Amino acid sequence: MAGRFETLPGGGAAVALDEVEVSILRSLTVQLMELIGPGDEPAADADPLAALFAEGPSEPPSDPALRRLFPDAYGDDSEELRASAADFRRYTENDLRARKREDALVVVRALDALSGDAIGEGGVVLKLTPDESRAWLGSLNDLRLTIGTRLELTDEESEQLYRLPDSDPRKPMVMAYLWLGALQESLVETLMS
């Protein structure tokens, strides 16, 4: 099972992780949550109906990674499409941000449940329910999109990533990007089986 998700009886997935992998996953996921932001949570005494119709931003984020996580629904070829994209963003981005935060929180909680004492020399097996597996899949995708954007990766560069010299300052993040991709791929395969 080393580094690959496998199907659990009754659904869900399991993966063996060592202490370093747990630490890296947790750190990257917490950074993702910080990037996404805390969100505009309604006050406890807020009107639930008003919160349902709360509007979000109409402009795309200025940060390239956030633009990748929250892209425009339509191209910006015309004024009409830009207006439609702004309307779509206004009514969907808050919910999308909340879902991405919730998915990331599932990852952090699952990793936190693996107490330091439980992670021995051989690592520990993380077991996820079907719902947790889907949240992990979303977060792994978001992490890869964010890292890929930060590294300014293009499709043409994908083969070159495996031959990056150790002296390249991008190497640690490229290695994380490739590892997350392998985890994501194995989780997809597991959920489809």
Side-chain angles (χ1 to χ4, degrees), residues 79-99:
E79 188 64 37
E80 183 179 325
L81 287 178
R82 282 192 296 276
S84 295
D87 284 342
F88 187 81
R89 179 178 300 282
R90 183 178 301 115
Y91 296 114
T92 62
E93 187 171 313
N94 285 346
D95 289 340
L96 184 56
R97 280 182 184 266
R99 195 199 83 228

Side-chain angles (χ1 to χ4, degrees), residues 123-181:
V124 66
V125 175
L126 173 70
K127 296 180 181 178
L128 304 172
T129 67
D131 287 341
E132 290 171 328
S133 297
R134 286 186 284 280
W136 268 71
L137 187 57
S139 279
L140 288 172
N141 186 60
D142 291 343
L143 286 168
R144 289 192 72 241
L145 288 172
T146 301
I147 292 170
T149 302
R150 292 286 188 240
L151 291 170
E152 298 177 350
L153 297 179
T154 63
D155 290 337
E156 296 80 40
E157 288 181 303
S158 61
E159 279 300 313
Q160 297 169 359
L161 295 178
Y162 294 98
R163 294 185 291 278
L164 206 60
D166 290 341
S167 60
D168 191 313
R170 301 178 303 160
K171 180 105 183 208
M173 288 311 294
V174 166
M175 297 305 294
Y177 175 83
L178 294 172
W179 174 61
L180 291 169

Side-chain angles (χ1 to χ4, degrees), residues 52-86:
L52 182 63
F53 293 103
E55 293 184 7
S58 60
E59 294 296 319
S62 59
D63 184 306
L66 286 174
R67 269 197 317 273
R68 186 71 175 103
L69 293 175
F70 305 105
D72 274 336
Y74 311 102
D76 57 354
D77 299 325
S78 70
E79 188 64 37
E80 183 179 325
L81 287 178
R82 282 192 296 276
S84 295

